[in-house]
Amino acid sequence: MSQIANKGFILIVDDNPTNLSVLSEALASKGLRFRVAVDGESAIAQAERNQPELILLDIQMPGIDGFETCRRLKTNAVTQNIPIIFTTALTDIESKTKGFVLGAVDYISKPFAQEEVIARVRVHLRLKQLNESLEQQVRDRTAALQQAQVQLVQQEKLSTLGELIAGIAHEMNNPITFISSNIPPLEEYIAGVTEILQLYEQEYPHPTAKITTAIEKLDLKFVLQDILKILTSFKVGTERIENVSNSLRTFSRLDSDTKIPADLHQGLDSTLMILQHRLKDNGNRTCIEVIKNYGKLPEVNCYLGQMNQVFMNILANAIDAIDEAIVKDTMSHKSPQIQITTETDSQNQVVIRIADNGMGVPERLKQRLFEPLFTTKPVGKGTGLGLSIAHQIVVEKHNGTLEVNSHIGMGTEFTITIPI
Ligand SMILES: Nc1ncnc2c1ncn2[C@@H]1O[C@H](COP(=O)(O)OP(=O)(O)O)[C@@H](O)[C@H]1O
Ligand SMILES: [Mg+2]
């Protein structure tokens, strides 16, 4: 007969030395590891400390009997999943039934037949292993399913939102173009009209009283100067709207099925533009200074829309961390700051670091940041999805890495690397 693999041990509970030696010899002959307990109480204590794979439990013992021992083991969360086989001289049906009712998986009658002991132990060890692997599989699948669901929902939201934003950006474009494209001719016309007015003044230095009054009433000199200023502000304003519209379009870029070469700086900038309102001073704090240490980056083959989502999630968290530090008053001597550093490294990767000087992350939570649904923020504020999605996009979609480095109270730095 082949050896039965068992990593753990079997606990034999019996007060009778002869029974103990028969059972232990049987197990030892097959290379099975075992420990012994000579009464119910110490069996429970042992099983709690160190869970055996299986318990061989005698029924008649001094102190609490096997039935009571079984009952206690089955009501204890730590020991309740350990299979119990009763070893019993009691051959009456009632005792056997009672054992099963209490949760035993089998019984072996005394006097022991070595072959029977081994056979039954074998079956139940195997059953337990199968059971455990099944449970593990269910846990793994459930986790995978949960993750897939989270991603699906998020992707669905993102693509809807992306389409909406792209649509708005597109619709904004037409009216802005009406205005911006008409500014140069308007400038020209006004210059022309001004010139003619000046010419009139020169050629007819003494206009009628009616005209003089009208000129004074309007304050013509001021109006002519102010028109130029107004035109300039039109230009600045439309340029700004055009920038926003371009950022929205870059940001919401609906990704194609394949990666395309893209400028990650453009992605970072459009994300910052969209977050502009959150960076401004908000009554509690001064505006967050964004320091860009942009290196020279080549275009990177990527899904830019998704990479923007990564930047957005990390930058939004950085702003949250600064705001939280302000509320908790842990940055009285610092002015709020976000630093973005980009470079290429020796392994032909793009490296992007986004660092804030906010709250920081406690050491014990660092491992959990990328878990789906992990959040330390109040309900309604945090979803716990940002970093898990960022991680998935960087690692799975772009074969990159996403790492966090943080010191509580000092700040946090996320490092993204993407192969070029
Ligand atoms: N820059 C940061 N500084 C401090 N903590 C952070 C930072 N970024 C993320 N965290 C922590 O990681 C958690 C998970 O982040 P995330 O997945 O984006 O979910 P959410 O922002 O919805 O909570 C946050 O709740 C926060 O505790
Ligand atoms: Mg977040």
Side-chain angles (χ1 to χ4, degrees):
M1 206 184 278
S2 66
Q3 303 263 304
I4 308 162
N6 86 314
K7 290 171 265 99
F9 64 95
I10 296 164
L11 181 63
I12 306 172
V13 191
D14 207 308
D15 60 315
N16 178 320
T18 317
N19 288 340
L20 279 179
S21 74
V22 173
L23 284 175
S24 45
E25 260 167 45
L27 297 180
S29 74
K30 293 293 165 203
L32 290 166
R33 298 199 297 153
F34 61 89
R35 294 182 194 172
V36 296
V38 291
D39 61 66
E41 308 254 14
S42 64
I44 293 168
Q46 271 205 51
E48 264 184 344
R49 224 178 13 249
N50 244 324
Q51 286 86 58
E53 297 281 291
L54 187 66
I55 299 177
L56 296 179
L57 182 59
D58 185 21
I59 292 179
Q60 284 162 328
M61 295 181 290
I64 61 170
D65 67 3
F67 292 135
E68 176 58 17
T69 308
C70 179
R71 198 190 58 75
R72 292 194 196 171
L73 286 167
K74 290 293 163 193
T75 49
N76 183 336
V78 183
T79 53
Q80 65 185 2
N81 290 324
I82 306 167
I84 295 174
I85 300 178
F86 277 117
T87 58
T88 172
L90 304 173
T91 42
D92 65 295
I93 297 291
E94 208 177 312
S95 303
K96 287 174 189 166
T97 317
K98 188 171 175 191
F100 283 121
V101 168
L102 285 170
V105 291
D106 208 349
Y107 65 88
I108 305 173
S109 318
K110 294 174 191 172
F112 300 119
Q114 191 157 345
E115 291 301 314
E116 188 193 354
V117 172
I118 297 301
R120 292 193 190 267
V121 164
R122 250 177 170 252
V123 166
H124 290 290
L125 281 179
R126 181 90 189 108
L127 271 178
K128 178 159 186 268
Q129 280 164 5
L130 286 175
N131 215 355
E132 276 167 0
S133 97
L134 211 65
E135 270 169 21
Q136 188 55 44
Q137 277 179 40
V138 170
R139 271 197 296 275
D140 290 351
R141 301 260 157 94
T142 310
L145 216 65
Q146 197 185 29
Q147 182 137 10
Q149 198 179 25
V150 162
Q151 282 161 10
L152 260 174
V153 170
Q154 195 65 7
Q155 268 161 15
E156 188 58 31
K157 271 195 209 155
L158 280 182
S159 76
T160 315
L161 203 65
E163 272 172 49
L164 183 70
I165 293 179
I168 293 174
H170 181 79
E171 286 306 316
M172 269 165 81
N173 251 9
N174 269 341
I176 302 167
T177 315
F178 298 162
I179 301 173
S180 61
S181 64
N182 281 322
I183 293 177
L186 186 59
E187 268 177 325
E188 241 173 73
Y189 297 161
I190 288 170
V193 171
T194 311
E195 216 179 292
I196 289 174
L197 280 176
Q198 281 163 348
L199 201 60
Y200 261 108
E201 239 179 353
Q202 279 167 26
E203 299 295 316
Y204 301 98
H206 304 294
T208 62
K210 211 173 172 183
I211 292 177
T212 311
T213 316
I215 288 177
E216 273 167 15
K217 205 174 157 207
L218 181 66
D219 197 349
L220 182 61
K221 217 170 157 198
F222 168 81
V223 167
L224 289 178
Q225 282 168 358
D226 209 41
I227 284 179
L228 297 179
K229 286 188 195 153
I230 292 175
L231 276 174
T232 308
S233 71
F234 276 12
K235 271 199 254 177
V236 174
T238 49
E239 266 165 30
R240 207 170 283 170
I241 301 174
E242 271 167 350
N243 276 340
V244 171
S245 158
N246 285 338
S247 298
L248 287 176
R249 273 187 305 169
T250 314
F251 181 78
S252 67
R253 174 167 313 174
L254 298 171
D255 285 314
S256 54
D257 295 342
T258 52
K259 292 179 187 165
I260 42 175
D263 177 0
L264 291 176
H265 288 152
Q266 206 183 31
L268 283 163
D269 288 341
S270 69
T271 309
L272 284 170
M273 170 80 90
I274 286 167
L275 283 170
Q276 201 55 43
H277 71 286
R278 293 209 50 208
L279 295 164
K280 281 196 259 178
D281 61 314
N282 65 0
N284 275 332
R285 58 156 169 79
T286 55
C287 79
I288 298 174
E289 187 189 1
V290 176
I291 300 171
K292 298 182 196 171
N293 308 312
Y294 285 177
K296 235 174 116 59
L297 290 191
E299 295 213 315
V300 179
N301 247 339
C302 66
Y303 303 108
L304 188 60
Q306 295 186 14
M307 285 310 296
N308 288 337
Q309 190 60 40
V310 172
F311 300 148
M312 173 65 105
N313 291 354
I314 293 177
L315 285 165
N317 282 343
I319 299 171
D320 287 343
I322 288 172
D323 283 342
E324 198 185 337
I326 297 284
V327 171
K328 296 201 172 141
D329 205 17
T330 61
M331 54 188 294
S332 41
H333 307 299
K334 296 181 286 184
S335 57
Q337 217 176 62
I338 292 177
Q339 280 210 41
I340 307 177
T341 311
T342 64
E343 61 189 6
T344 51
D345 70 3
S346 54
Q347 288 141 21
N348 211 25
Q349 302 186 103
V350 166
V351 183
I352 301 163
R353 292 177 225 280
I354 299 177
D356 63 72
N357 62 353
M359 272 308 284
V361 184
E363 195 57 44
R364 77 198 144 81
L365 295 185
K366 262 189 213 162
Q367 301 302 319
R368 305 198 52 201
L369 296 198
F370 301 108
E371 273 177 26
L373 304 177
F374 173 78
T375 181
T376 55
K377 294 168 195 172
V379 181
K381 188 145 196 304
T383 59
L385 293 180
L387 286 180
S388 74
I389 285 168
H391 193 268
Q392 198 221 356
I393 291 174
V394 172
V395 176
E396 280 162 42
K397 298 271 173 68
H398 292 89
N399 296 316
T401 60
L402 175 59
E403 275 157 21
V404 61
N405 189 1
S406 181
H407 294 285
I408 188 87
M410 307 281 287
T412 305
E413 180 180 75
F414 283 90
T415 306
I416 305 165
T417 62
I418 303 278
I420 295 170

